[in-house]
Amino acid sequence: MGKLVDAFNWYILCVIDYKDAASLKVGGKITVEFTGTTAEPLLADVVKINDAADGRTSIILKCNLMNKKYAVLRKNPVKLIFNTYTGYQVNNKAVREINGQKGVYVLNGNIVKFKKINIVYSDSEYSICSVPDGESGYLKQYDEIYTNFKNYMESRNTWFTKKYPNNQKDLIAYFSAEYGLDEILPIYSGGLGILSGDHLKSASDLGIPLVAVGLLYKKGFFHQIINGYGQQYEEDRENDIDTLPIYPVKDVEGKDLLVYVNMPKKRLYLKVWQVNVGRVKLYLMDSDIDANIPEYRCITAHLYGGNQEMRIQQEIVLGMAGTSLLKTLGLNPTVYHMNEGHSAFLILELMKNIIKEKQVSFDMAEEIVAAKTVFTTHTPVPAGNDIFPLSLVETYFKDYWNRFSITKEEFFRLGMKPNADLSNTGFNMGILALKFSGKKNGVSKLHGAVSRELFGEVWPNIAPNEAPIDYVTNGIHTCTWLAPNLKRLFNEYLKPYWQDDIKNDATWQKIADIPDQELWNAHMERKVKLLKLVKENITNRLKREGYRYSDINDITSKLDPNALTIGFSRRFATY
């Protein structure tokens, strides 16, 4: 046996009896046992059968599983076990079973879909799938992605481990009302969710110990439809939970894990789901279970849906039940991070637990909470900061001022600026977070300055421009937003593993080495793809509105890839 490694594949050269070779064909499968070693048998592809000479034939086999046991092999006797199976080899970890059908999740554009496969042979590591001609590409794609992902997950040489070797037991708990990870999981509406999703992906890449908490919105955010008069209307679409990349969390008895929070009418139970975002786990809570009364089952149905009572219920679930969930999972976060004020009720949950467990005063509990909380404010306007009527707050927190050993008025003022008039002021979630969090920040240098001016009254004894609100500069998760064809160019012309060092200016110096024509071709590929999408969307909308085919064609034909095309997209927000 001889061996040659090429990309994700390695090859075995074998010399066998020509009669045995007669039963083989290129593209077939054969099992290879490595006699005299501890290496497990492998399923290999027959890629070449040479002409016979002196009753012997040499064949070349291709394998795509590599570990240290195979890496040390050089010349070894092997035993070939002839199989009659043909098809495509896929790692067993790719295979899922849904409604009794085995298949794999595959990526079509940005949409993940479930494709059925027929397994004709399976061992402990791989299965052979019988698939129609021309459709094996998605299995090959999966195997390559899985190999890359496995290497990524098993790497321990991350930015965080190198930068903070003594903080490996720390844990950041990240709370957000929405997460924009991918359109396959529609639990986001806009920029806040996209930011949250990018935070999780970047934390995974950097090896930051982070766990995230959110809600599972089975109906997501509304879908916008434009009618023939140019008017917008909304359409509800329920997510098919069985096809989403989420998994129910189980307790020690193998049952669905449930957490609860007390509500005015009855205790609310929440089923817990898990999303794996690389190395980061995102836990989503779901109220749509039989244990709840009908009125409460719909609490997590819509993102930002319903009236103010629905919103306060959602935010109690996010902040308070979310904190309880982490405790149930045995996690003890070093820091709780609130991405906007929706989760600020976690402060009250932490205060309640600390006062009860440590038997300390309200003031002492406030200092402890400040030492482990961070708040990021995004939009210093009502759209970004829920303000609840005091009557509603009293309904849901009527026993809390006694637990905290403070008056009802003092409790209400936790969510108000000092000296606010109780008769016409509501409970502001942003102010609650600002008052109790040890660290506060805006999302850019300018935004930090604006926030200091707007919220300066929260700290009346200092000048507004000195209010303790810092800033961070938000970025993006580069590899999510970089087009695949540009990523391939960067892989070819930039330094190896450039994506791990994107903040270094030196990383980008070799951009100039990319030939102009190659860069232009990549740009045109993306432009053609974009215009194709625009044409499809326009065509579908105009068909719904009853336009004739000739009129639709006249409109869409004006989109020319070779013309400079300027587009405008802007939502109308109060800020």
Side-chain angles (χ1 to χ4, degrees):
M1 180 194 85
K3 182 183 69 173
L4 174 68
V5 177
D6 171 28
F8 297 114
N9 304 310
W10 57 285
Y11 298 81
I12 304 172
L13 174 65
C14 296
V15 179
I16 62 175
D17 189 277
Y18 79 96
K19 292 179 181 178
D20 293 328
S23 64
L24 296 174
K25 66 177 183 178
V26 173
K29 300 284 183 180
I30 190 167
T31 299
V32 184
E33 289 187 356
F34 302 91
T35 56
T37 75
T38 58
E40 293 82 3
L42 278 181
L43 196 61
D45 297 298
V46 180
V47 295
K48 188 173 183 180
I49 303 173
N50 295 314
D51 294 334
D54 299 325
R56 312 282 283 173
T57 300
S58 63
I59 62 173
I60 298 177
L61 309 176
K62 181 178 73 173
C63 304
N64 59 11
L65 175 65
M66 173 59 74
N67 62 35
K68 62 183 179 182
K69 291 181 179 179
Y70 304 117
V72 298
L73 298 177
R74 290 296 179 266
K75 292 185 177 180
N76 250 84
V78 297
K79 179 181 179 182
L80 303 181
I81 302 173
F82 291 79
N83 304 310
T84 57
Y85 308 109
T86 59
Y88 194 83
Q89 178 177 299
V90 61
N91 193 292
N92 284 336
K93 292 184 179 179
V95 180
R96 298 286 183 270
E97 186 167 330
I98 295 179
N99 297 328
Q101 293 189 337
K102 289 188 175 180
V104 293
Y105 286 108
V106 296
L107 189 67
N108 290 345
N110 285 325
I111 304 297
V112 177
K113 294 185 178 179
F114 183 78
K115 277 214 173 190
K116 181 184 174 185
I117 56 174
N118 297 312
I119 297 176
V120 296
Y121 171 83
S122 185
D123 60 21
S124 61
E125 196 72 36
Y126 284 90
S127 294
I128 298 176
C129 308
S130 175
V131 293
D133 290 341
E135 289 197 16
S136 63
Y138 65 82
L139 293 174
K140 182 173 186 293
Q141 179 191 38
Y142 186 95
D143 251 10
E144 290 178 355
I145 291 172
Y146 175 76
T147 301
N148 282 332
F149 179 69
K150 185 178 179 184
N151 293 336
Y152 170 89
M153 291 296 290
E154 291 178 352
S155 173
R156 295 292 178 266
N157 187 30
T158 66
W159 172 85
F160 188 83
T161 56
K162 290 184 287 188
K163 185 81 172 177
Y164 300 102
N166 299 323
N167 295 79
Q168 298 306 301
K169 293 185 179 180
D170 286 351
L171 179 64
I172 299 166
Y174 187 96
F175 287 72
S176 183
E178 51 176 302
Y179 291 91
L181 297 164
D182 190 272
E183 61 185 314
I184 185 63
L185 190 59
I187 56 171
Y188 63 97
S189 68
L192 183 71
I194 297 300
L195 174 71
S196 300
D198 280 13
H199 274 163
L200 302 197
K201 296 172 191 176
S202 297
S204 174
D205 289 350
L206 295 168
I208 295 173
L210 184 145
V211 61
V213 178
L215 305 183
L216 178 64
Y217 307 102
K218 288 186 175 175
K219 294 187 177 180
F221 197 56
F222 68 81
H223 289 260
Q224 174 183 290
I225 308 294
I226 307 296
N227 65 19
Y229 299 100
Q231 299 167 325
Q232 172 187 306
Y233 66 93
E234 293 79 44
E235 180 179 89
D236 261 355
R237 298 179 191 173
E238 186 143 358
N239 295 320
D240 185 354
I241 298 297
D242 289 335
T243 63
L244 297 180
I246 62 175
Y247 311 92
V249 179
K250 303 294 183 179
D251 61 19
V252 292
E253 297 178 356
K255 300 176 183 178
D256 287 341
L257 178 65
L258 300 180
V259 294
Y260 70 85
V261 64
N262 291 320
M263 290 287 186
K265 294 183 179 179
K266 199 171 182 181
R267 179 173 285 180
L268 171 69
Y269 291 93
L270 298 141
K271 181 176 178 178
V272 183
W273 299 82
Q274 178 178 319
V275 183
N276 295 322
V277 188
R279 301 180 178 99
V280 170
K281 288 182 173 60
L282 165 61
Y283 293 104
L284 302 173
M285 292 172 288
D286 174 16
S287 65
D288 185 24
I289 56 176
D290 293 337
N292 293 322
I293 60 176
E295 179 184 339
Y296 286 173
R297 289 189 64 159
C298 63
I299 287 177
T300 62
H302 291 91
L303 169 61
Y304 304 142
N307 55 21
Q308 281 197 305
E309 184 155 21
M310 178 69 74
R311 294 293 293 272
I312 199 171
Q313 289 172 341
Q314 286 188 342
E315 296 185 14
I316 288 171
V317 170
L318 178 61
M320 304 184 81
T323 301
S324 176
L325 165 62
L326 297 179
K327 192 174 182 180
T328 302
L329 292 170
L331 301 175
N332 183 25
T334 316
V335 174
Y336 292 80
H337 180 265
M338 293 164 278
N339 193 35
E340 200 53 281
H342 309 110
S343 59
F345 284 138
L346 73 82
I347 289 168
L348 303 183
E349 183 72 9
L350 290 174
M351 293 282 291
K352 180 188 74 175
N353 293 341
I354 290 168
I355 290 172
K356 180 180 178 181
E357 294 167 7
K358 297 185 180 295
Q359 294 294 301
V360 297
S361 67
F362 178 86
D363 292 339
M364 180 61 71
E366 183 178 356
E367 289 185 23
I368 296 173
V369 168
K372 57 195 311 176
T373 47
V374 176
F375 172 56
T376 296
T377 177
H378 292 262
T379 50
V381 292
N385 295 273
D386 283 312
I387 301 174
F388 296 115
L390 298 187
S391 58
L392 197 58
V393 174
E394 183 170 7
T395 299
Y396 282 86
F397 294 93
K398 59 185 176 183
D399 62 339
Y400 268 70
W401 39 90
N402 292 329
R403 291 187 183 194
F404 290 171
S405 298
I406 59 177
T407 66
K408 180 166 69 173
E409 179 179 334
E410 286 173 328
F411 183 85
F412 287 157
R413 290 190 178 280
L414 300 180
M416 297 180 186
K417 295 178 180 179
N419 305 317
D421 183 355
L422 263 66
S423 64
N424 60 12
T425 306
F427 192 94
N428 188 308
M429 297 294 284
I431 291 179
L432 174 67
L434 285 169
K435 280 186 172 182
F436 282 82
S437 300
K439 298 284 186 181
K440 284 83 66 173
N441 64 268
V443 290
S444 71
K445 186 174 182 179
L446 177 60
H447 181 247
V450 171
S451 297
R452 285 191 290 275
E453 291 292 333
L454 288 171
F455 290 119
E457 293 178 44
V458 175
W459 301 275
N461 298 323
I462 59 177
N465 62 355
E466 294 180 0
I469 302 176
D470 208 337
Y471 75 93
V472 295
T473 302
N474 274 339
I476 62 167
H477 182 253
T478 304
C479 288
T480 292
W481 300 104
L482 186 65
N485 59 352
L486 284 179
K487 196 180 298 182
R488 287 192 291 270
L489 275 183
F490 290 0
N491 289 343
E492 182 177 352
Y493 289 97
L494 301 188
K495 69 179 186 179
Y497 306 108
W498 57 268
Q499 59 268 39
D500 294 337
D501 198 22
I502 58 175
K503 68 180 186 301
N504 189 345
D505 290 345
T507 300
W508 302 104
Q509 289 177 356
K510 287 187 174 292
I511 285 285
D513 294 343
I514 302 176
D516 292 348
Q517 192 60 48
E518 287 192 43
L519 198 57
W520 180 253
N521 290 344
H523 164 70
M524 289 304 295
E525 283 177 30
R526 292 185 295 122
K527 187 173 182 181
V528 168
K529 184 179 179 181
L530 174 62
L531 293 183
K532 181 173 181 285
L533 177 66
V534 171
K535 288 180 180 180
E536 287 175 355
N537 287 346
I538 291 174
T539 299
N540 291 335
R541 178 164 66 86
L542 296 183
K543 279 182 179 178
R544 288 197 309 269
E545 296 166 6
Y547 278 67
R548 295 179 301 176
Y549 177 78
S550 57
D551 293 333
I552 295 173
N553 187 60
D554 183 55
I555 293 169
T556 57
S557 63
K558 292 180 171 61
L559 291 171
D560 180 4
N562 295 312
L564 173 63
T565 305
I566 302 174
F568 295 90
S569 178
R570 183 78 174 102
R571 66 188 178 117
F572 294 94
T574 56
Y575 48 90

